[in-house]
Structures are given as structure tokens and as C-alpha cells.
Amino acid sequence: MSGKHYKGPEVSCCIKYFIFGFNVIFWFLGVAFLGIGLWAWNEKGVLSNISSITDLGGFDPVWLFLVVGGVMFILGFAGCIGALRENTLLLKFFSVFLGIIFFLELTAGVLAFVFKDWIKDQLYFFINNNIRAYRDDIDLQNLIDFTQEYWQCCGAFGADDWNLNIYFNCTDSNASRERCGVPFSCCTKDPAEDVINTQCGYDARQKPEVDQQIVIYTKGCVPQFEKWLQDNLTIVAGIFIGIALLQIFGICLAQNLVSDIEAVRASW
């Protein structure tokens, strides 16, 4: 009797446990994002009154956590369990889902480049729509304040865009103390001040334009974002290319593992 044994195709343990380990991390991150989103909604009372989801006139930042967390959870689950249990259906789902996301990102990038003016108009509409709802949701308010502080801007194309908000507009019928003002995030910062003056924007737009430039940022967030994008184009492009390569790498690994599993099963 020959001592030789037939050695058939084998599933690569390196690929299998690499996919498993990577997706476990991805899965837990998805759970964390979903948890943060649900906690934020619970704090705002949305979970006890689901119909209030549609009450907000602007964009609710919590949706970012829920959508991103949901996608990460589904991908992480499919990749993790698919690799561990050598389930080709889940691994194929993982590959296809990741491929669809990659295709959507690629399509969005091409369309954003081709229809730059349309994107700018939509961004202007989006910001102004959220300016109207500035006081309606604390998360939206924090997002707008962060954006205006980070890019040192005010409104979509200028401080006068705050006329769209019922508390900041300059109409005679507006009895708000914030009338003809802007949020504190529009104010220029004094490095010597340790405490934020939340009233620094009061009556700011009643002043002459020359004086306004001393007190508040007069440039809009849309042109400031364009400038930031041009200044950091290499970094932004590098991040997107890195994400794309990771997605392609993940698809290739999953497909390789599927081929190994099918080859092993075919040899039985």
C-alpha cells in the first residue's frame, strides 16, 4: 500500500481569518454607530414618538449614524459569518454589496465632476433649508455651528442668508433679540477669549459691511468649502483612492475565498 496521500484543494486559512477579523471590527463599529444614533433619537424623544421623524424641516445628523452604521453592520455580519462558516451565499452577498457601494461612489464622483454647478446649487439649497430649521433640532444646530466655525464662514453664500431663519431675519415683525444677527459660530474668534460669547452675533448685520467683517465671517460656506477642497485636493483624492482600493481588495479576497470553498466542495 502506497504511503502517498492525495492532497486536494484547501481553503486558505490566512484569507479566511483575515476576512473574519477585519469584518468583526467592521461589525462592532456598525453596532457602535447604530447605538449612538438610537441613543441620540432616544434623548430627543423620537423613539417614543416615531411620527416626529418627519417634523424636522432640515437634515437630522442622526441619520448619518443610522445609515452608515446599518451598512457597516450588514457588511460586517455577512463578511464575518460568511468567512467563519465558509458560507458562500453570505460571502457572495458581501462581495456584491461592496461592489454596489463602490459603483455608487464611482458614479457619484463622476456626476459631481460633470455637474459641478448643479451640485453647488443643491448644496446652496441644502444649507439654506437647514438654516431655516436651525433652532428646531440641537444636533442640526451643532452641525451648522461646527461647519461655520471650521470653514470660517456664515450662511450658504453670505451672512444675509440668515434672513431665512425666523429668529435672525431683519423684518420689523421679528420680535426676537437675535433679529438681524447671526449665530455665535459666525463670529470671528479672539484668541485671548477663553469663554465663547454666544451673544457676539447680536445685531451684527445692522452694521455697515466694513464693520461686519471685523465682527463676523462674511464669506459663505459654499465658496469656503470649494476653496478648502482645492487646497486639500491631494489629501481628499488620496483618501478616496485608499477607500476604493480597500473595497476592491475586500471584493477580491471574498471572491478568492468563495472559489477555494467551491473547489474543496467539488473535490468531495
Side-chain angles (χ1 to χ4, degrees):
M1 182 176 177
S2 173
K4 294 181 180 179
H5 296 279
Y6 171 72
K7 189 177 181 181
E10 296 178 348
V11 175
S12 171
C13 289
C14 290
I15 295 176
K16 175 180 175 177
Y17 288 108
F18 180 83
I19 294 175
F20 170 74
F22 179 79
N23 281 284
V24 164
I25 298 170
F26 213 59
W27 193 7
F28 280 120
L29 284 174
V31 171
F33 271 76
L34 285 172
I36 292 169
L38 293 173
W39 171 79
W41 266 3
N42 183 61
E43 288 293 302
K44 293 191 289 188
V46 174
L47 295 182
S48 58
N49 182 18
I50 298 298
S51 61
S52 63
I53 292 175
T54 58
D55 292 345
L56 181 63
F59 171 72
D60 188 350
V62 175
W63 279 111
L64 277 175
F65 286 93
L66 293 175
V67 172
V68 172
V71 170
M72 291 175 71
F73 180 85
I74 293 170
L75 270 176
F77 175 83
C80 176
I81 303 301
L84 185 65
R85 304 298 299 173
E86 297 184 5
N87 188 310
T88 55
L89 182 63
L90 284 176
L91 287 170
K92 287 177 180 178
F93 172 80
F94 173 82
S95 298
V96 171
F97 198 1
L98 205 56
I100 290 171
I101 293 173
F102 174 75
F103 176 75
L104 290 175
E105 289 170 349
L106 188 63
T107 304
V110 172
L111 291 177
F113 180 78
V114 175
F115 300 104
K116 285 184 287 189
D117 292 336
W118 182 84
I119 294 293
K120 189 188 295 185
D121 291 340
Q122 292 304 306
L123 188 59
Y124 172 73
F125 173 79
F126 175 78
I127 293 174
N128 282 343
N129 192 45
N130 288 298
I131 283 175
R132 292 186 183 94
Y134 177 74
R135 292 292 190 207
D136 296 348
D137 182 81
I138 187 64
D139 292 325
L140 174 62
Q141 186 174 312
N142 290 335
L143 178 63
I144 292 174
D145 286 336
F146 170 79
T147 302
Q148 293 189 145
E149 286 181 323
Y150 184 79
W151 278 308
Q152 298 184 348
C153 58
C154 193
F157 279 100
D160 285 337
D161 288 331
W162 282 98
N163 274 327
L164 296 169
N165 187 278
I166 59 172
Y167 300 102
F168 294 98
N169 68 59
C170 293
T171 56
D172 294 333
S173 59
N174 184 9
S176 169
R177 178 62 189 87
E178 295 175 311
R179 177 182 176 274
C180 235
V182 291
F184 74 90
S185 53
C186 283
C187 297
T188 55
K189 300 296 180 288
D190 184 354
E193 288 185 354
D194 295 327
V195 180
I196 296 174
N197 178 11
T198 56
Q199 299 179 354
C200 60
Y202 285 9
D203 305 318
R205 290 186 294 119
Q206 289 183 333
K207 299 175 181 178
E209 189 173 341
V210 177
D211 294 335
Q212 283 185 28
Q213 294 176 1
I214 301 172
V215 182
I216 62 172
Y217 304 123
T218 54
K219 293 179 180 178
C221 291
V222 173
Q224 285 294 89
F225 174 70
E226 285 184 299
K227 181 179 180 298
W228 177 87
L229 207 56
Q230 290 172 355
D231 293 343
N232 298 276
L233 191 59
T234 305
I235 297 171
V236 173
I239 291 171
F240 276 99
I241 291 171
I243 292 171
L245 289 175
L246 275 175
Q247 289 173 324
I248 294 170
F249 183 60
I251 293 169
C252 292
L253 280 181
Q255 288 298 105
N256 194 301
L257 185 56
V258 168
S259 299
D260 286 352
I261 294 168
E262 289 178 342
V264 169
R265 289 176 181 173
S267 67
W268 289 352

